[in-house]
C-alpha cells in the first residue's frame, strides 16, 4: 500500500523538474549520437524522391541546419524509451508497487507505438503526399533540401506522436484520471479534434491526405476506449484487494 504522506506542491514541482532534466539530458545525448548517422538517415528519407542528389541547397548554412534537424529527429526516436520511462515514473509516484509496475509496463508499448507511427508516416503518408505535390498542375518542381527535410521530419514526428494516444489513455485510466465513459461520451469532440489535427499536421488540406491520417487516428481513439476499460477494471480490482 502506498504511504499516505502529505506532499506539497513544491515537492511535485521538484519531482517534475528532475523528470524534465533527466528526459532532456537523455535526448541531448541521443541527438549527439544521431549526428553521426544523420547522413545515411537523410539518404533514407530522400528515397521517395529518388535520393538526396535530387535536392538542392541555396543557402550557405542550409546543409548544416538540415543535418542538425535530422540528428534531432533521430535523437528523439532513440531516446523515446528513456523519455517514456521518466514520464510514466513521474505519473506513477504515490501508487502502490503493483500499480507502478503496471504503469511502467507501458514503456515498451509506448516505444513500439511511436516507432510504428513513424513507419506509417514514412511508408504510407509520405509517398502519397509527395505524389500529390509533384504532380499538382503538372509543373516541374525543383526540391530544396531544407523545405523537403522540414516537411518530412514534421510529418514523421507529429504522426508518430499521435500514435501514443492509446498508451497514454491506458496509463491515465490506470491511475484514475480518465474513464471509458468519459471517452465514449466525448467521441464527437474527438472527431472534431482529429479533423483539426489532420488539417494542421498533414502537408495538404485535400480530403485524401486528411482521410489517410484521420482514419487510423480515429481507430486509435476507439482502441484507447477499449484499453481504458481494461485499465479501469484493473484499477477497481486493485482497490478491492486493498
Amino acid at each position: 500500500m502506498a504511504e499516505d504522506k502529505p506532499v506539497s506542491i513544491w515537492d511535485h514541482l521538484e519531482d517534475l523538474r528532475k523528470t524534465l532534466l533527466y528526459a532532456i539530458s537523455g535526448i541531448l545525448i541521443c541527438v549527439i549520437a544521431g549526428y553521426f548517422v544523420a547522413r545515411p538517415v537523410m539518404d533514407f528519407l530522400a528515397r521517395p524522391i529518388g535520393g538526396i542528389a535530387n535536392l538542392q541547397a541555396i543557402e550557405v548554412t542550409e546543409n548544416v541546419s538540415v543535418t542538425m534537424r535530422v540528428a534531432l529527429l533521430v535523437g528523439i526516436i532513440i531516446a523515446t524509451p528513456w523519455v517514456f520511462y521518466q514520464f510514466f515514473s513521474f505519473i506513477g509516484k504515490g501508487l502502490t508497487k503493483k500499480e507502478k509496475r503496471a504503469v511502467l509496463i507501458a514503456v515498451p508499448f509506448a516505444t513500439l507505438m511511436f516507432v510504428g507511427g513513424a513507419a506509417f508516416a514514412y511508408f504510407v503518408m509520405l509517398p502519397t503526399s509527395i505524389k500529390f505535390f509533384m504532380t499538382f498542375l503538372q509543373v516541374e518542381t525543383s526540391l530544396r533540401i531544407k523545405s523537403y527535410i522540414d516537411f518530412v521530419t514534421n510529418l514523421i514526428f507529429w504522426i508518430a506522436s499521435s500514435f501514443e494516444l492509446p498508451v497514454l489513455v491506458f496509463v491515465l485510466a490506470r491511475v484514475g484520471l480518465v474513464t471509458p465513459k468519459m471517452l465514449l461520451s466525448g467521441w464527437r469532440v474527438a472527431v472534431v479534434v482529429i479533423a483539426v489535427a489532420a488539417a494542421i499536421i498533414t502537408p495538404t488540406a485535400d480530403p485524401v491526405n486528411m482521410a489517410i491520417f484521420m482514419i487510423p487516428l480515429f481507430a486509435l481513439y476507439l482502441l484507447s476506449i477499449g484499453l481504458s476499460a481494461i485499465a479501469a477494471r484493473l484499477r477497481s480490482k486493485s482497490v478491492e484487494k486493498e
Side-chain angles (χ1 to χ4, degrees):
M1 175 74 101
E3 297 182 1
D4 295 328
K5 293 182 180 180
V7 180
S8 69
I9 183 64
W10 300 112
D11 292 328
H12 285 300
L13 291 175
E14 178 63 17
D15 288 338
L16 178 60
R17 185 189 69 82
K18 290 180 180 179
T19 298
L20 293 175
L21 179 62
Y22 291 149
I24 293 173
S25 298
I27 291 175
L28 288 177
I29 293 172
C30 292
V31 167
I32 293 173
Y35 173 80
F36 296 98
V37 297
R39 178 52 195 264
V41 172
M42 280 191 284
D43 291 334
F44 178 74
L45 294 178
R47 284 184 183 179
I49 47 94
I52 201 170
N54 291 328
L55 299 173
Q56 299 176 355
I58 62 175
E59 295 179 2
V60 175
T61 60
E62 191 165 346
N63 291 332
V64 175
S65 63
V66 165
T67 301
M68 296 308 300
R69 188 177 183 88
V70 172
L72 178 62
L73 177 65
V74 173
I76 291 175
I77 292 176
I78 296 175
T80 48
W82 173 251
V83 173
F84 290 141
Y85 173 77
Q86 294 299 323
F87 175 71
F88 292 140
S89 295
F90 176 75
I91 291 180
K93 284 181 171 63
L95 301 179
T96 65
K97 290 183 178 180
K98 186 175 181 180
E99 288 174 332
K100 286 182 179 180
R101 285 196 299 268
V103 169
L104 291 178
I105 287 175
V107 172
F109 290 102
T111 303
L112 288 174
M113 291 298 289
F114 189 88
V115 174
F120 173 80
Y122 178 81
F123 290 106
V124 178
M125 289 212 62
L126 184 59
T128 305
S129 302
I130 291 297
K131 183 179 180 181
F132 177 85
F133 279 122
M134 298 297 288
T135 58
F136 191 74
L137 295 180
Q138 300 297 320
V139 176
E140 183 178 355
T141 305
S142 296
L143 298 177
R144 181 179 170 185
I145 187 171
K146 185 180 186 303
S147 62
Y148 177 79
I149 294 298
D150 287 354
F151 163 68
V152 174
T153 53
N154 277 333
L155 193 68
I156 291 175
F157 175 77
W158 289 112
I159 292 181
S161 298
S162 70
F163 271 58
E164 294 304 306
L165 179 63
V167 180
L168 178 61
V169 169
F170 177 84
V171 172
L172 294 178
R174 190 69 178 83
V175 299
L177 297 178
V178 170
T179 63
K181 184 178 180 180
M182 182 189 305
L183 295 174
L184 278 172
S185 61
W187 71 269
R188 294 179 181 84
V189 176
V191 171
V192 175
V193 172
I194 289 171
V196 172
I200 295 174
I201 296 173
T202 51
T204 65
D206 65 282
V208 175
N209 275 309
M210 289 185 63
I212 289 175
F213 180 70
M214 288 181 63
I215 292 173
L217 191 56
F218 188 70
L220 290 172
Y221 183 78
L222 296 179
L223 176 62
S224 299
I225 296 176
L227 291 176
S228 68
I230 296 174
R233 193 177 301 114
L234 292 173
R235 179 176 174 79
S236 64
K237 288 182 180 180
S238 298
V239 172
E240 290 175 2
K241 289 181 180 180
E242 293 173 7

